Amino acid sequence: MLLLIPLFPLVGFVINASVGRRLTKSISGGLACAAMIASFAVSALLVSQILGHEAAPLEFTLFEWMASGTLRVPFTLRLDHLSAVMILVITGIGSLIHIYSTGYMHEESDSEYARYFSYLNLFASFMLVLVLGGNFPVMFVGWEGVGLCSYLLIGFWFRKQSAADAGKKAFVVNRIGDFGFVLGMLLIFATFGTLDFQLVAAAADSRAIEHGAIGVITAATLLLFLGATGKSAQIPLYVWLPDAMEGPTPVSALIHAATMVTAGVYMIGRNAVLFSHAPITLSIVAAIGAATALMAGTIGLVQNDIKRVLAYSTVSQLGYMFLAMGVGAYAAGIFHLYTHAFFKALLFLGSGAVIHALAGEQDLRNMGGLKKYLPVTYWTFLIGALAIAGVPLLSGFFSKDEILFKTFTSTNPYRLLLWGIGMVTSLLTATYMFRLVFLAFHGERRSAAHHDSHGHGHGHAPHEAPPSMAIPLIVLAIGSVLAGYVGVPHALGGSNRIEQFLEPSFAVTEARGRLEAGGGVQSTDAAGVVRPVAVQDSHSADAGESTHDNTSTELMLMALSSGVAIAGIGIAAFFWLRNRAAVNAMTARFRGPYTVLLHKYYVDELYDAAVVQPIKLLSTGGLWKGADAGLIDGAVNGVGQTVRSTSNVLRRVQTGSIRTYAASLFLGVVLILGWYLLKFR
């Protein structure tokens, strides 16, 4: 049944990719949605089987994939508590995004409609392989697969130059990170002799923590983190994600809410024991996460494209998750990943409903007054904005405050600075999200809608989303309210159940027993499912996940962060709801900083000047003419010319004369006979 989880969407891809153009939209879209719903049903069933089991993952080995010397890599899928959370998020929210897409993409032709859903299904299949993989190579299959699908989906409207460029940018930037992932994987195998996650964790746990020195574990984890910065859009490889807004809006929701961008966070959580033995790496992870959260938050404050505001919000929230990972609060990071999936998918899909209603308009300056036209979209979007801002009693409040509390009480020497950056980012989040809400939904209509090149929308009057789009918004809004209640902290009388649920995935348990037995300590249950034997161990990889023994501190931090969130909403209301003239005055007064933020700190321009243009200059100059055209093309053309010259000589003996052929045959026989006589005389 584990295999069915990624197999269902893979079958949906195969059918739509092969015969989808011959199917109607209702059939191709319904098939893709059914595949995701079936995958979600199987996921829910299997997750229910592991509830209550402390450390007994479900495993299924499809085949022995690679075997060379000491390298043994089976194609193993493994479901534990961490991957359980991930597959429910991917298949559950992925199903809602698929359903939403049936309405949003309905203006496409039948063949394009089927192509879109085939890519969407393939993306989900690869993402499920990524989180279910029991070892690094299987994870890497999914890792590279989602990179390929992101290229296909971001550049779906490939006839539009900006979309084609954005797809290529995402693909190239991710390859840089993937290079680090591959090197880290190779170093891990060279060090531990295995690529199985559990066995690597057990082997790493037997080594000393690398305090104050860059050892092999630190080097390996830094390389893995480079891969994570690519997939999860952190400094310096975050630049692809804002441009990815060129793809259809449901693609933005899928990639940026529940799937691809969370892969880096998941990978660190999956290797928590390994990273916990590299404190230098964790400090770098926390610093990069905090810096990314702050940088993206400031950029999002001035963007005018509704989807780009959300894109930088995603980068910022991912920085929050990496901050949690860097201070050892792995469960808090995954908890925020889980809640973020609900409200960020809601916000992206809500923005899609706005774009759909305005026939393709994305500029916030051309919106306004949409509250009365789009009541369902408005109220659901408002819930998502409140959740991401961290307003009390909504899902984002619980997960964000958990990260801030764990950062404040961590052992990181710069914990107060990191916590302070987290608080400032929280203020920025509330401000730019409600700037978006007030500009889009409040005030007066500032411009009539117009048709875009893809024909979304009808006429000039804003219209509410159809049921296929509205229902997912309502479901996600409910999730944005309730999802956080699985992690109510001890300070508020809860037991933080999600932390308790995830804790076994971050500790060495059954892995050590398997390692000591050469990987062979296993048992098979009555259903034939292979389960590694659980070997209890008191060591926890999560040094930051301590019990909440300082309730007063936690309550104080909660009150402070809640006040910051409300202050951010108040700032947004003052500038963009009540006194928009003050915005113009502030912009004029701080023209320099405003311009820098509007141009995203000129990072793209810096990369273009420092990397892209020199490579282009070098390639069109010496590299292209000398190496490519001269050496490589010359060698290939030289082989062809040699064959051609030889054939010119050989064809001269093909005269068509029978007497010439007979003479040649006779001469050959004489020569062979003479050679034998000389050799054996």
Side-chain angles (χ1 to χ4, degrees), residues 360-390:
E361 179 61 75
Q362 295 184 201
D363 195 324
L364 289 167
R365 295 169 295 187
N366 295 330
M367 297 181 187
L370 296 177
K371 177 181 177 181
K372 61 182 178 180
Y373 297 104
L374 312 174
V376 174
T377 301
Y378 170 71
W379 288 107
T380 54
F381 197 97
L382 181 63
I383 290 172
L386 290 168
I388 196 173

Side-chain angles (χ1 to χ4, degrees), residues 16 20-23 108-116 156:
N16 266 326
R21 66 181 59 190
R22 300 186 183 92
L23 303 176
E108 302 293 331
S109 64
D110 288 357
S111 60
E112 292 295 278
Y113 195 77
R115 180 168 70 89
Y116 170 82
F156 177 77

Side-chain angles (χ1 to χ4, degrees), residues 351-570:
S351 72
V354 170
I355 295 167
H356 188 271
L358 299 181
E361 179 61 75
Q362 295 184 201
D363 195 324
L364 289 167
R365 295 169 295 187
N366 295 330
M367 297 181 187
L370 296 177
K371 177 181 177 181
K372 61 182 178 180
Y373 297 104
L374 312 174
V376 174
T377 301
Y378 170 71
W379 288 107
T380 54
F381 197 97
L382 181 63
I383 290 172
L386 290 168
I388 196 173
V391 171
L393 304 182
L394 277 76
S395 62
F397 164 76
F398 296 107
S399 57
K400 181 200 72 174
D401 278 14
E402 186 73 8
I403 291 175
L404 292 173
F405 173 73
K406 294 290 183 158
T407 301
F408 189 85
T409 58
S410 71
T411 58
N412 190 296
Y414 303 103
R415 61 185 181 277
L416 295 181
L417 175 61
L418 296 173
W419 174 81
I421 293 174
M423 291 293 287
V424 173
T425 303
S426 179
L427 177 68
L428 291 171
T429 302
T431 304
Y432 65 65
M433 281 309 308
F434 276 85
R435 169 183 176 265
L436 187 160
V437 170
F438 296 142
L439 286 177
F441 293 99
H442 291 259
E444 299 297 326
R445 293 278 292 118
R446 290 183 291 278
S447 176
H450 63 277
H451 283 283
D452 71 350
S453 58
H454 308 295
H456 293 306
H458 301 278
H460 296 281
H463 55 92
E464 186 59 274
S468 60
M469 295 169 61
I471 291 173
L473 292 178
I474 295 170
V475 174
L476 288 169
I478 295 171
S480 298
V481 175
L482 301 178
Y485 285 89
V486 298
V488 177
H490 298 268
L492 295 180
S495 59
N496 205 337
R497 286 175 293 170
I498 192 168
E499 179 179 338
Q500 297 174 7
F501 180 75
L502 289 169
E503 192 62 40
S505 298
F506 306 134
V508 178
T509 51
E510 72 282 351
R512 178 170 293 170
R514 292 180 61 194
L515 183 67
E516 293 170 354
V521 181
Q522 294 179 332
S523 66
T524 304
D525 64 12
V529 177
V530 177
R531 299 177 181 270
V533 173
V535 180
Q536 296 299 324
D537 191 293
S538 61
H539 177 79
S540 171
D542 191 352
E545 298 290 300
S546 59
T547 57
H548 291 241
D549 55 357
N550 198 338
T551 301
S552 60
T553 300
E554 187 172 9
L555 290 174
M556 179 192 70
L557 294 175
M558 278 185 190
L560 190 58
S561 64
S562 299
V564 165
I566 294 171
I569 298 173

Side-chain angles (χ1 to χ4, degrees), residues 123-442:
F123 184 97
S125 180
F126 275 126
M127 190 66 200
L128 289 166
V129 170
L130 189 157
V131 299
L132 287 173
N135 52 59
F136 279 100
V138 176
M139 172 186 273
F140 193 67
V141 170
W143 190 274
E144 289 297 285
V146 294
L148 166 66
C149 292
S150 68
Y151 164 75
L152 297 173
L153 286 166
I154 293 168
F156 177 77
W157 289 315
F158 57 87
R159 293 180 180 85
K160 183 182 176 184
Q161 187 61 44
S162 58
D165 290 343
K168 288 185 289 186
K169 186 175 184 178
F171 193 81
V172 171
V173 171
N174 271 275
R175 298 292 75 71
I176 298 171
D178 296 349
F179 178 68
F181 189 106
V182 171
L183 291 180
M185 186 165 55
L186 294 175
L187 183 55
I188 287 170
F189 177 72
T191 303
F192 301 118
T194 180
L195 291 172
D196 183 278
F197 291 126
Q198 292 181 332
L199 301 183
V200 168
D205 190 59
S206 64
R207 293 183 172 229
I209 297 176
E210 296 177 349
H211 289 291
I214 298 180
V216 66
I217 297 180
T218 301
T221 50
L222 283 174
L223 289 169
L224 292 178
F225 179 56
L226 177 59
T229 61
K231 276 291 180 290
S232 294
Q234 298 295 286
I235 294 173
L237 300 179
Y238 70 93
V239 292
W240 67 270
L241 192 146
D243 288 5
M245 297 300 102
E246 293 292 340
T249 302
V251 170
S252 303
L254 186 64
I255 292 178
H256 303 148
T259 54
M260 177 174 161
V261 295
T262 61
V265 180
Y266 168 78
M267 185 265 288
I268 293 179
R270 174 55 66 207
N271 295 282
V273 176
L274 197 65
F275 276 82
S276 293
H277 279 67
I280 295 175
T281 300
L282 286 182
S283 296
I284 293 173
V285 171
I288 293 293
T292 303
L294 181 61
M295 181 181 183
T298 56
I299 295 173
L301 199 60
V302 301
Q303 296 302 303
N304 296 311
D305 186 300
I306 186 172
K307 288 176 64 177
R308 283 188 177 268
V309 174
L310 297 177
Y312 282 104
S313 170
T314 298
V315 176
S316 184
Q317 294 301 306
L318 288 166
Y320 252 115
M321 298 175 206
F322 278 101
L323 171 61
M325 295 296 179
V327 298
Y330 303 110
I334 299 299
F335 182 26
H336 195 58
L337 181 158
Y338 159 73
T339 59
H340 175 263
F342 284 94
F343 52 71
K344 186 51 63 68
L346 171 60
L347 292 170
F348 268 117
L349 297 185
S351 72
V354 170
I355 295 167
H356 188 271
L358 299 181
E361 179 61 75
Q362 295 184 201
D363 195 324
L364 289 167
R365 295 169 295 187
N366 295 330
M367 297 181 187
L370 296 177
K371 177 181 177 181
K372 61 182 178 180
Y373 297 104
L374 312 174
V376 174
T377 301
Y378 170 71
W379 288 107
T380 54
F381 197 97
L382 181 63
I383 290 172
L386 290 168
I388 196 173
V391 171
L393 304 182
L394 277 76
S395 62
F397 164 76
F398 296 107
S399 57
K400 181 200 72 174
D401 278 14
E402 186 73 8
I403 291 175
L404 292 173
F405 173 73
K406 294 290 183 158
T407 301
F408 189 85
T409 58
S410 71
T411 58
N412 190 296
Y414 303 103
R415 61 185 181 277
L416 295 181
L417 175 61
L418 296 173
W419 174 81
I421 293 174
M423 291 293 287
V424 173
T425 303
S426 179
L427 177 68
L428 291 171
T429 302
T431 304
Y432 65 65
M433 281 309 308
F434 276 85
R435 169 183 176 265
L436 187 160
V437 170
F438 296 142
L439 286 177
F441 293 99
H442 291 259

